[in-house]
Amino acid sequence: MDAAEARIVDAVLRQHGIDGVVAPEDPDRPGGAWSVYDQADPAARRDITGAALAALAAAVHRPPNGPQRGFIVPPPVA
């Protein structure tokens, strides 16, 4: 995800009480790819993007009305 998508993901994770720090993969290149980590310290952090998105999916899960695929992050509620 990029910086703009990261801001949305961060807001939605917080809205649903899901832990994680959304940060650039390379702290020196904030214009590059971003991920979700277990902590802010770049030297000690662990990528938890998959687990965070799975927790979000479980939090907003609605039974499907037919075949579905992909992952949609709803916009934050104002």
Side-chain angles (χ1 to χ4, degrees):
M1 77 184 101
D2 63 20
E5 293 166 325
R7 284 190 292 278
I8 294 168
V9 169
D10 184 59
V12 174
L13 291 176
R14 301 217 180 288
Q15 178 184 5
H16 291 282
I18 299 168
D19 291 333
V21 176
V22 183
E25 291 177 5
D26 180 350
D28 295 328
R29 292 188 47 229
W34 289 54
S35 294
V36 182
Y37 299 98
D38 61 344
Q39 60 179 305
D41 180 5
R45 68 187 183 186
R46 184 174 53 92
D47 188 335
I48 60 165
T49 304
L53 295 180
L56 178 59
V60 299
H61 175 70
R62 295 182 186 99
N65 294 337
Q68 296 183 356
R69 51 186 210 172
F71 187 83
I72 299 172
V73 176
V77 176

